[in-house]
């Protein structure tokens, strides 16, 4: 049996007529960029997440850039982010002229915590970007504590992997000053190309970001300031609106698969499982990431048994060639460094069958049995 890492073909076939109609509507109206469909999607996502404003844009990297720029981030400012995220989180900081400052993460949740934040030099730090990695909510409420080190700095949530994740009944996207989403095709809610959005309850911030993404204009040929072209395509908005109806069910399917993985893999020595959801948190399992010292051997074994896996991410950002000139002291990222050698993402996607999942679990058991036997 083959188990892919994700099966978008299956997802799209299951809703083919709805998608065809939405795309056909764009073609018939020659509606392609930042129009009624983008507005409709923004309103629909705002209702889904229970937030005031959603500003659609070209992708999740754009969303981070627009959020940081709209908050006034620029040269001379520093922004703290976790060492183990996708490079878009740090790139967007550099794009504004500010400096990314890496911090280590919590060994259980993989997320940035106030103590990780406190461990960095706080000089000129204007903001912090906790990433809800793998769809597991970072405790933004802990950052919002008035006594926290963060007081007076901006809190930006990177929710690219966490559409619909919740803390105490609230969507995580609504918990930061501004949060960002990626609709890269493989995300929990994915477009058929690039798309992204920022989310905020602050109308002035949303208006500013909306003008920024569209050449700094509020009307066709009137530019308050120089902006950029980071608009969302109508085709992507139309596709995303169709898919958004399915997102709550897809997230539940991911959560059921995660519960099943957890039950079946529990107690297997040599293997650690993702953190369980704590009281009040709802994770959406963009990825199901296990840890083992035998990661590379297990990945190769699973591949031989038809199971696709991934590593998110194999090289912590401070070790990347593009940041090496900063000569980072890697001992400051001990948790991220250690995890990068141990993490393995197993297949998890809403259309995954129990038979496929059992195949993955059995192959993992056989790997560890085989190891015991030798
Ligand atoms: C944590 C995180 N932040 C930002 C991004 C950037 O999103 P995009 O690829 O849509 O630019 C991604 C997506 O890959 C991501 O996983």
């Amino acid at each position: 049996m083959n188990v892919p890492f994700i099966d978008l073909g299956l997802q799209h076939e299951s809703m083919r007529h709805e998608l065809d109609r939405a795309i056909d509507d764009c073609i018939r109206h020659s509606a392609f960029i930042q129009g009624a469909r983008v507005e409709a999607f923004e309103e629909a996502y705002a209702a889904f997440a229970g937030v005031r404003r959603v500003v659609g844009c070209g992708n999740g990297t754009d969303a981070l850039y627009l959020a940081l720029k709209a908050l006034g981030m620029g040269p001379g400012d520093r922004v703290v982010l976790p060492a183990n995220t996708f490079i878009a989180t740090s790139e967007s900081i550099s794009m504004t002229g500010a400096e990314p400052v890496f911090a280590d993460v919590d060994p259980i949740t993989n997320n940035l915590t106030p103590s990780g934040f406190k461990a960095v030099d706080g000089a000129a730090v204007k903001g912090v970007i906790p990433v809800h990695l793998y769809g597991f909510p970072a405790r933004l409420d802990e950052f919002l504590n008035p006594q926290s080190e963060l007081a007076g700095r901006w809190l930006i949530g990177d929710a690219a992997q966490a559409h619909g994740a919740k803390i105490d009944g609230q969507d995580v996207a609504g918990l930061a000053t501004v949060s960002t989403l990626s609709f890269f095709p493989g995300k929990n809610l994915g477009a058929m190309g690039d798309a992204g959005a920022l989310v905020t309850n602050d109308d002035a911030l949303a208006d500013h970001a909306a003008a920024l993404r569209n050449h700094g204009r509020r009307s066709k040929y009137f530019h308050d300031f120089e902006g950029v072209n980071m608009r969302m395509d109508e085709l992507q908005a139309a596709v995303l609106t169709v898919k958004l109806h399915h997102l709550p069910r897809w997230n539940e399917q991911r959560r059921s698969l995660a519960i099943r993985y957890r039950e079946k893999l529990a107690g297997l020595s040599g293997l650690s499982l993702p953190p369980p959801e704590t009281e009040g948190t709802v994770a959406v399992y963009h990825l199901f990431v296990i840890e083992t010292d035998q990661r590379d051997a297990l990945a190769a074994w699973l591949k031989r048994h038809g199971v696709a896996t991934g590593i998110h991410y194999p090289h912590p950002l401070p070790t990347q060639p593009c940041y090496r000139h900063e000569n980072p002291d890697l001992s400051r990222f001990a948790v991220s460094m250690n995890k990068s050698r141990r993490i393995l993402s197993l297949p998890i996607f809403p259309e995954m069958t129990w038979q496929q999942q059992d195949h993955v679990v059995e192959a993992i058991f056989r790997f560890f049995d085989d190891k015991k036997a030798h």
Side-chain angles (χ1 to χ4, degrees):
M1 180 186 283
N2 277 328
V3 185
F5 195 64
I6 183 171
D7 194 339
L8 288 178
L10 214 52
Q11 178 183 97
H12 293 148
E13 274 316 311
S14 74
M15 52 201 306
R16 188 56 189 265
H17 294 303
E18 289 174 275
L19 290 170
D20 282 348
R21 254 202 317 275
I23 292 168
D24 183 61
D25 175 63
C26 291
I27 297 170
R28 274 189 295 110
H29 289 90
S30 292
F32 300 117
I33 297 171
Q34 197 72 61
R37 286 149 203 83
V38 172
E39 255 175 53
F41 172 68
E42 289 171 339
E43 280 170 23
Y45 200 96
F48 165 77
V51 294
R52 282 183 66 78
R53 300 286 296 277
V54 171
V55 177
C57 58
N59 53 60
T61 315
D62 286 358
L64 280 159
Y65 170 81
L66 292 170
L68 292 163
K69 241 351 223 185
L71 289 170
M73 232 59 87
D77 299 329
R78 299 167 77 231
V79 180
V80 176
L81 76 154
N84 63 338
T85 176
F86 183 59
I87 193 169
T89 320
S90 49
E91 262 175 344
S92 58
I93 298 168
S94 304
M95 281 162 73
T96 69
E99 181 198 340
V101 180
F102 299 109
D104 209 359
V105 295
D106 181 77
I108 310 237
T109 64
N110 300 294
N111 284 332
L112 193 59
T113 60
S115 62
F117 176 76
K118 261 187 245 166
V120 301
D121 166 14
V125 168
K126 257 225 182 142
V128 57
I129 313 185
V131 177
H132 307 283
L133 201 69
Y134 312 147
F136 191 86
R139 297 295 316 203
L140 298 185
D141 46 339
E142 291 171 3
F143 283 97
L144 293 170
N145 177 342
Q147 258 83 58
S148 103
E149 296 284 311
L150 191 68
R153 274 105 172 209
W154 296 116
L155 182 62
I156 303 114
D158 184 339
Q161 304 184 2
H163 312 146
K166 290 190 174 68
I167 296 179
D168 295 334
Q170 262 189 288
D171 194 296
V172 290
L175 291 174
T177 313
V178 54
S179 295
T180 59
L181 304 166
S182 162
F183 303 119
F184 181 80
K187 294 289 196 272
N188 287 31
L189 176 63
M192 290 182 155
D194 273 319
L198 65 86
V199 172
T200 180
N201 288 311
D202 180 331
D203 285 326
L205 189 67
D207 288 341
H208 188 68
L212 195 59
R213 79 178 153 180
N214 190 10
H215 300 296
R217 64 186 168 201
R218 290 182 207 275
S219 61
K220 195 164 183 186
Y221 291 119
F222 187 81
H223 307 270
D224 285 335
F225 51 87
E226 280 186 340
V228 286
N229 176 358
M230 292 186 171
R231 297 173 298 216
M232 184 187 267
D233 283 349
E234 288 278 281
L235 276 163
Q236 300 309 338
V239 164
L240 287 167
T241 303
V242 168
K243 288 190 166 194
L244 182 58
H245 296 298
H246 302 272
L247 180 60
R249 179 171 50 83
W250 289 338
N251 278 346
E252 277 315 309
Q253 282 161 333
R254 285 177 184 272
R255 295 184 71 227
S256 305
L257 288 161
I259 289 169
R260 232 174 145 255
Y261 263 140
R262 202 183 289 292
E263 282 168 3
K264 293 189 174 267
L265 294 172
L268 192 54
S269 76
L271 191 99
S272 315
L273 298 174
E277 293 165 62
T278 49
E279 178 85 26
T281 60
V282 175
V284 290
Y285 294 98
H286 174 57
L287 296 169
F288 190 90
V289 179
I290 58 170
E291 290 182 37
T292 169
D293 286 340
Q294 300 170 71
R295 190 266 312 277
D296 292 340
L298 176 60
W301 170 277
L302 289 174
K303 189 171 176 201
R304 277 206 301 284
H305 289 79
V307 178
T309 57
I311 301 174
H312 302 88
Y313 296 91
H315 310 291
L317 291 177
T319 70
Q320 294 285 353
C322 57
Y323 297 120
R324 245 184 243 149
H325 61 276
E326 289 166 17
N327 227 348
D329 168 10
L330 296 181
S331 68
R332 290 199 295 115
F333 311 108
V335 175
S336 305
M337 296 297 291
N338 182 39
K339 278 177 180 280
S340 67
R341 291 185 282 268
R342 290 172 42 86
I343 47 178
L344 186 67
S345 309
L346 300 182
I348 188 164
F349 51 95
E351 300 75 18
M352 187 181 192
T353 64
W354 283 13
Q355 286 86 342
Q356 285 177 313
Q357 191 178 31
D358 289 343
H359 178 76
V360 178
V361 170
E362 277 155 28
I364 293 174
F365 266 92
R366 262 187 283 136
F367 173 81
F368 283 103
D369 280 349
D370 193 61
K371 290 271 152 195
K372 253 191 259 155
H374 289 84

